[in-house]
Amino acid sequence: VQLVESGGGLVQPGGSLSLSCAASGIIFSNYTMLWYRQAPGKQRELVALITSGGSTNYADSVKGRFTMSRDNAKNTVYLQMNSLKPEDTAVYSCHAQWAGSVYWGQGTQVTVSS
């Protein structure tokens, strides 16, 4: 099983980034997919999730700014991040969860700074 995140980088406050997470080795369409983030010295935070049926849920801190989507044909989830703030700086990782199985990727760094 592999989850590979991409799309992180350095962006100015107010800017946008789009993260992707490509999964392999799982029946992707069965899985709830989640994006977590962890900033230095802080606890890991659940940012967003999307169920196998396509329902989404977001942390209050990102509601209205972030949008999560999935493409089951490509075994990929996306996180569109708009109006980025310095406090969004963190390592973002995707997780796959179904029937007691959990997998996660290595993460991608997002830095929001002027």
Side-chain angles (χ1 to χ4, degrees):
V1 177
Q2 264 197 318
L3 298 177
V4 180
E5 301 95 339
S6 60
L10 173 64
V11 63
Q12 292 189 341
S16 298
L17 277 178
S18 181
L19 305 183
S20 299
C21 171
S24 59
I26 59 173
I27 304 174
F28 179 79
S29 59
N30 286 347
Y31 280 74
T32 291
M33 300 298 295
L34 308 94
W35 283 102
Y36 281 88
R37 68 184 180 187
Q38 188 163 22
K42 293 190 176 181
Q43 285 194 328
R44 188 178 66 178
E45 176 187 19
L46 176 61
V47 176
L49 66 85
I50 187 165
T51 67
S52 58
S55 298
T56 54
N57 209 342
Y58 300 93
D60 287 343
S61 57
V62 307
K63 272 181 188 172
R65 299 189 298 122
F66 290 12
T67 302
M68 187 173 183
S69 59
R70 68 190 297 158
D71 185 339
N72 288 341
K74 295 183 178 179
N75 287 4
T76 300
V77 291
Y78 306 94
L79 186 66
Q80 177 65 40
M81 305 185 294
N82 299 327
S83 302
L84 283 161
K85 305 175 181 179
E87 51 264 42
D88 294 317
T89 296
V91 175
Y92 286 71
S93 61
C94 71
H95 295 228
Q97 192 171 300
W98 177 65
S101 296
V102 181
Y103 305 101
W104 57 92
Q106 295 276 36
T108 185
Q109 176 70 46
V110 171
T111 302
V112 185
S113 175
S114 54

